[in-house]
Amino acid sequence: MDGLAMMIVLCTLILTTGGVLILRPISKRLGVFLDAVTQAKLRATPEVELTRIREVLSSIDGRLDQIEERQDFAEALITTDPKLLAGAPVRPERN
């Protein structure tokens, strides 16, 4: 009986040590892989970033076009009839 108990303890010790030696590197690499996948999902994809940048640039382009039109209109108004500006009452600026 004592020999059987000693054999069971020895087999358990060998299987545990072997399992740790074999499975530890595999589980570490699996953990690194899962961490990388999670980080990739949390980060915004380049397509989303590019879409957002395109929307912002198109908004800025539209605003710039409006400013150019207003400036062209103001310049045309000034050059066509300078009396309009001379006779117009001066309004205080609003903030």
Side-chain angles (χ1 to χ4, degrees):
M1 262 330 215
D2 288 335
L4 184 63
M6 201 60 160
M7 189 188 306
I8 291 175
V9 170
L10 187 59
C11 285
T12 305
L13 181 65
I14 290 172
L15 289 175
T16 303
T17 305
V20 168
L21 290 175
I22 292 172
L23 295 178
R24 186 171 186 267
I26 295 171
S27 65
K28 283 184 82 170
R29 297 226 178 170
L30 180 64
V32 170
F33 173 74
L34 291 176
D35 188 41
V37 168
T38 304
Q39 290 297 326
K41 286 183 181 179
L42 292 178
R43 277 185 270 136
T45 59
E47 293 89 20
V48 173
E49 285 287 324
L50 289 176
T51 303
R52 188 182 62 82
I53 290 172
R54 283 189 188 110
E55 289 174 356
V56 168
L57 286 176
S58 66
S59 171
I60 291 172
D61 187 46
R63 290 179 183 177
L64 185 61
D65 287 341
Q66 286 180 347
I67 290 172
E68 287 175 351
E69 287 179 16
R70 290 177 183 176
Q71 183 178 2
D72 290 343
F73 177 75
E75 287 175 354
L77 186 63
I78 289 171
T79 57
T80 55
D81 197 3
K83 294 178 184 177
L84 288 175
L85 291 177
V90 177
R91 295 183 190 175
E93 291 185 19
R94 297 181 192 173
N95 289 334

